[in-house]
Amino acid sequence: MKKVVCIGEMLIDFVSTDVGTNLVEAEQFLKKPGGAPANVAACVAKLGGNSYFAGAVGNDPFGACLINELIDFGVNIEYVHKVTTPTTLAFISLAQDGERDFVFNRGADAEFSLPHNQTSLLLQNSILHLGSATALLGNHLFESYLTAAKYAHDHKHFICFDPNYREDLWKDKLDVFIERSMQMLSMANFVKVSEEELSLLTGEDDIAKGCEHLHAQGVQYITVTIGSRGCFLSTTTHQSIIPAYAITPVDTTGAGDSFIGAVLYQLSQANLDELTYAELAGYVQLGNKVSGVVCEYLGPMTGLTDFASIQSLDKPLKTA
């Protein structure tokens, strides 16, 4: 089994319990651990995989809370740094359908620095997941992203990239987001995007054509999450929609992270040189199930469960 290395932010999500209100009106909040790459690492570990999280938190109560959460999930925290900058925070309000409104208060995550002499040890026998919402903004974290991505690419490690676009983070800087995303994407074997992200990166509103554009950049495998419809899976030879499971969503925070965490858990045990479309479609289907279960709970990690439990869970597929 390969280890899954996730680099980026871990933060506190303050999720409004005043469902149906926006952040202007919300008054009550629940503290939940979050951060896209940390969510992925927790999912992989909970399913039974070997996951590492590399990032920075503040030397404060929030940082201590986050580290304890990773330990509880079984994530390796050897590369978690404590810094003097306060822990990054996010404030989230929920609409009636579970969709979200975000505001970020960026802090410690930007200070994560991965020395070159530690990169080879961290990435030994690994799949590298680059799925941070904040890494492409710059600072030390972006430099560490580049260091890890270039090392993994040069040494032919399997790389997964999720751009994790957040409009609040990229106001007036969309061209920078696209440029840096394409830089990462050019080194990736596997790319996970939303419909919005695919359109931003390719200029294509048609999913199949957008995927063809990314394949032309060298990406082997692409998953496009399409909400309640499931996931569009594309390789250089096949394309199809893998249906979602029928659920009643409570909170969609972390849905994409748990999806890709479940897929990466399965890829970590696969022969990556001989993946078939059928195998990949099966991995995506299980990812849809894990994601669906997570959406039935408040917070991105609350609904995570082990592999045997998720396999045995009887969930009906959603029909058109």
Side-chain angles (χ1 to χ4, degrees), residues 11 46 50 84 100 115-116 132 141 151 185 199 263-264 269:
L11 50 82
K46 186 66 176 180
N50 181 18
T84 57
R100 305 151 295 164
H116 284 267
S132 171
L141 178 56
Y151 180 92
L185 185 147
S199 179
V263 173
L264 290 174
Q269 301 171 83

Side-chain angles (χ1 to χ4, degrees), residues 9 27 38 49 64 108 129 188 196 202 204 206 222 227 230 248 255 263 267 271 288 291 304:
E9 79 276 359
E27 295 182 352
H129 174 62
E196 179 188 16
T202 68
E204 292 282 358
D206 181 272
I222 302 165
T248 301
V263 173
L267 287 173
N271 184 341
N288 284 347
S291 177
L304 295 175

Side-chain angles (χ1 to χ4, degrees), residues 182-234:
M182 295 305 290
Q183 184 179 9
M184 295 296 169
L185 185 147
S186 68
M187 294 183 276
N189 305 90
F190 190 109
V191 169
K192 177 258 171 193
V193 288
S194 66
E195 287 182 270
E196 179 188 16
E197 290 163 346
L198 184 66
S199 179
L200 284 175
L201 294 176
T202 68
E204 292 282 358
D205 291 328
D206 181 272
I207 294 178
K209 290 181 179 178
C211 287
E212 290 168 7
H213 182 98
L214 297 189
H215 286 309
Q217 308 303 310
V219 182
Q220 296 168 273
Y221 313 112
I222 302 165
T223 53
V224 185
T225 51
I226 50 178
S228 61
R229 291 173 291 160
C231 177
F232 186 91
L233 173 62
S234 180

Side-chain angles (χ1 to χ4, degrees), residues 80-120:
V80 176
H81 300 170
K82 288 184 179 180
V83 298
T84 57
T85 305
T87 298
T88 300
L89 308 176
F91 296 86
I92 304 166
S93 66
L94 302 175
Q96 291 291 350
D97 61 359
E99 287 301 318
R100 305 151 295 164
D101 183 22
F102 279 95
V103 169
F104 282 89
N105 186 351
R106 195 179 191 199
D109 75 279
E111 302 304 318
F112 177 69
S113 183
L114 181 65
H116 284 267
N117 60 4
Q118 293 184 14
T119 304
S120 60

Side-chain angles (χ1 to χ4, degrees), residues 55-262:
V57 297
N59 189 17
D60 54 32
F62 291 142
C65 170
L66 293 172
I67 290 173
N68 289 340
E69 195 75 19
L70 288 180
I71 292 171
D72 287 346
F73 275 99
V75 177
N76 186 296
I77 61 164
E78 183 180 351
Y79 293 85
V80 176
H81 300 170
K82 288 184 179 180
V83 298
T84 57
T85 305
T87 298
T88 300
L89 308 176
F91 296 86
I92 304 166
S93 66
L94 302 175
Q96 291 291 350
D97 61 359
E99 287 301 318
R100 305 151 295 164
D101 183 22
F102 279 95
V103 169
F104 282 89
N105 186 351
R106 195 179 191 199
D109 75 279
E111 302 304 318
F112 177 69
S113 183
L114 181 65
H116 284 267
N117 60 4
Q118 293 184 14
T119 304
S120 60
L121 184 60
L122 173 61
L123 297 183
Q124 185 178 6
N125 190 36
S126 72
I127 292 174
L128 174 62
H129 174 62
L130 302 171
S132 171
T134 64
L136 303 184
L137 291 169
N139 295 342
H140 295 303
L141 178 56
F142 180 60
E143 295 168 5
S144 297
Y145 242 50
L146 281 177
T147 296
K150 289 177 179 178
Y151 180 92
H153 183 257
D154 290 345
H155 291 81
K156 302 188 184 308
H157 292 294
F158 193 92
I159 300 173
C160 174
F161 175 60
D162 178 357
N164 254 312
Y165 174 72
R166 296 287 181 266
E167 184 178 4
D168 183 66
L169 296 178
W170 292 102
K171 291 175 182 175
D172 304 320
K173 296 182 290 185
L174 186 57
D175 56 335
V176 177
F177 169 78
I178 293 172
E179 178 187 351
R180 292 181 177 175
S181 291
M182 295 305 290
Q183 184 179 9
M184 295 296 169
L185 185 147
S186 68
M187 294 183 276
N189 305 90
F190 190 109
V191 169
K192 177 258 171 193
V193 288
S194 66
E195 287 182 270
E196 179 188 16
E197 290 163 346
L198 184 66
S199 179
L200 284 175
L201 294 176
T202 68
E204 292 282 358
D205 291 328
D206 181 272
I207 294 178
K209 290 181 179 178
C211 287
E212 290 168 7
H213 182 98
L214 297 189
H215 286 309
Q217 308 303 310
V219 182
Q220 296 168 273
Y221 313 112
I222 302 165
T223 53
V224 185
T225 51
I226 50 178
S228 61
R229 291 173 291 160
C231 177
F232 186 91
L233 173 62
S234 180
T235 69
T236 54
T237 58
H238 295 82
Q239 293 182 327
S240 66
I241 291 178
I242 312 299
Y245 287 84
I247 63 162
T248 301
V250 172
D251 177 11
T252 60
T253 306
D257 304 328
S258 57
F259 166 80
I260 199 61

